[in-house]
């Protein structure tokens, strides 16, 4: 019996070690060609900079996507992010986070999923530049299915856990997967229901809806 228990323990240790080694790290150096800082039309952009701990995002009543583009689509089923956040979006009294006028989250991690959706000719003519850039991520002959967002909310309860963002025409699907506390380290660890082909990671922290100012630093991003 002791030999069996020892064997099982060793097997678990080997499996855990293998899984840990299998995790792929996203480099947090902004000068890497895979990182792109995009801007929305008519919304002030966040200030994104490099510091000794990783990537720092300063929000001043602003919002903008920070995109990491994979060299080729990655099959991802689990993802982990760690970092530090100072302050949180100031949600107006009586409003619920995610509502119009309160649609700011301290951290949104988006997985840009490969699919067959593309912009038609008219859409390419009128779409904002960040949308065109997003759809250019897809390899030749394919497109985007949607962006799966994993959100960290403020500690206060939010009345939904999953939703299609009402202003995204089905392109943004959001889930709240945890809470962030002011002036604290955070860890986002999430396993998807199945592996998905991911073209890019979309990282954002928002303050434009609520006029909020705060900062966030990414220390580590890894996936399996």
């Amino acid at each position: 019996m002791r030999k069996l228990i020892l064997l099982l323990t060793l097997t678990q240790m080997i499996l855990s070690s293998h899984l840990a080694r299998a995790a792929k790290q996203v480099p947090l150096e902004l000068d890497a060609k895979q990182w792109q800082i995009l801007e929305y039309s008519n919304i002030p952009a966040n200030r994104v900079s490099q510091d000794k701990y990783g990537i720092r995002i300063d929000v001043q009543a602003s919002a903008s996507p920070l995109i990491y583009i994979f060299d080729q689509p990655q099959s991802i089923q689990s993802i982990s992010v760690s970092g530090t956040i100072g302050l949180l979006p100031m949600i107006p009294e009586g409003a619920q986070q995610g509502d119009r006028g309160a649609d700011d989250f301290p951290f949104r991690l988006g997985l840009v999923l490969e699919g067959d959706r593309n912009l038609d000719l008219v859409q390419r003519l009128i779409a904002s530049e960040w949308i065109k850039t997003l759809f250019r991520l897809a390899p030749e002959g394919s497109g985007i299915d949607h962006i799966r967002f994993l959100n960290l909310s403020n500690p206060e309860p939010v009345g939904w856990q999953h939703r299609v963002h009402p202003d995204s025409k089905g392109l943004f699907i959001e889930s709240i997967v945890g809470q962030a506390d002011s002036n604290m380290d955070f860890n986002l660890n999430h396993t998807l229901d199945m592996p998905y082909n991911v073209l890019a990671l979309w990282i954002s922290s928002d303050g434009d809806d609520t006029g909020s100012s705060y900062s966030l630093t990414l220390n580590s991003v890894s996936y399996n």
Side-chain angles (χ1 to χ4, degrees), residues 103-114:
D103 193 16
D104 288 338
F105 286 85
F107 185 70
R108 281 175 158 121
L109 172 66
L111 309 179
V112 183
L113 305 186
E114 186 177 17

Side-chain angles (χ1 to χ4, degrees), residues 110-173:
L111 309 179
V112 183
L113 305 186
E114 186 177 17
D116 55 11
R117 181 189 303 211
N118 279 291
L119 299 176
D120 60 30
L121 177 60
V122 174
Q123 290 171 329
R124 287 198 296 270
L125 290 173
I126 65 174
S128 299
E129 190 59 36
W130 71 268
I131 295 178
K132 296 178 186 178
T133 300
L134 186 63
F135 276 88
R136 284 197 290 265
L137 299 178
E140 188 72 26
S142 67
I144 289 174
D145 189 84
H146 67 278
I147 305 173
R148 177 73 59 86
F149 279 101
L150 310 174
N151 297 357
L152 295 181
S153 69
N154 288 19
E156 294 76 22
V158 179
W160 53 271
Q161 289 297 309
H162 310 281
R163 72 171 182 176
V164 177
H165 194 284
D167 297 328
S168 73
K169 297 182 179 179
L171 186 60
F172 297 168
I173 297 178

